[in-house]
Amino acid sequence: MIEYVTTPEFQKDFKSLLKRYKSLERDFENMKKYTLETFYEQGKATTAFVPIEGFCGESYTSNKIRKFSCMALKGRGAASGIRVIFVWEEELRKITFIEMYFKADQENEDRVRLTKFIKENFGV
């Protein structure tokens, strides 16, 4: 069983995007079930997310979900432009959501935020 945790910054990002994309709560739950759990629990390969270079360690992996289906963005399918940044800790079977953004608003992940999270939690 995977433990899901969100940072306060992620919660703020989510709330902001939810105002624009009303299906986001359901879409987010579907992503957890059909992307993260099928990969980490069932071992099924996926191209939905990729590791973020330079932000991975022995006990954790930072990842970016690039294929996120959002029903409110009709016609785009998994290429909705919504990105989710998370850290996976294999030993703890834990996913911490760090950031969520719409690619049209922001080009890349907030590397300062990710670095801060890694320093605070892994002492790197």
Side-chain angles (χ1 to χ4, degrees), residues 59-84:
S59 62
Y60 65 92
T61 307
S62 301
N63 299 281
K64 178 192 298 191
I65 295 177
R66 297 188 303 182
K67 295 182 180 178
F68 183 95
S69 293
C70 181
M71 298 301 288
L73 290 161
K74 289 181 172 63
R76 291 183 167 203
S80 67
I82 291 178
R83 302 292 189 255
V84 179

Side-chain angles (χ1 to χ4, degrees), residues 47-59:
T47 58
F49 61 89
V50 295
I52 302 172
E53 278 188 48
F55 290 89
C56 299
E58 287 184 28
S59 62

Side-chain angles (χ1 to χ4, degrees), residues 33-46:
K33 182 177 180 181
Y34 296 111
T35 301
L36 298 176
E37 290 175 12
T38 57
F39 181 76
Y40 289 117
E41 296 286 338
Q42 300 170 20
K44 293 185 180 175
T46 184

Side-chain angles (χ1 to χ4, degrees), residues 16 26 28 39 43 48 57 70 77 82 85 114:
S16 175
R26 183 179 54 220
F28 189 69
F39 181 76
C70 181
I82 291 178
I85 308 303
L114 189 54

Side-chain angles (χ1 to χ4, degrees), residues 39-40 58-61 87-94:
F39 181 76
Y40 289 117
E58 287 184 28
S59 62
Y60 65 92
T61 307
V87 173
W88 165 249
E89 296 175 69
E90 178 73 40
E91 267 185 41
L92 300 175
R93 312 257 340 127
K94 177 178 167 185

Side-chain angles (χ1 to χ4, degrees), residues 21-37:
Y21 310 111
K22 301 299 181 197
S23 66
L24 198 60
E25 281 181 311
R26 183 179 54 220
D27 300 330
F28 189 69
E29 291 304 315
N30 285 338
M31 178 273 302
K32 289 194 299 191
K33 182 177 180 181
Y34 296 111
T35 301
L36 298 176
E37 290 175 12

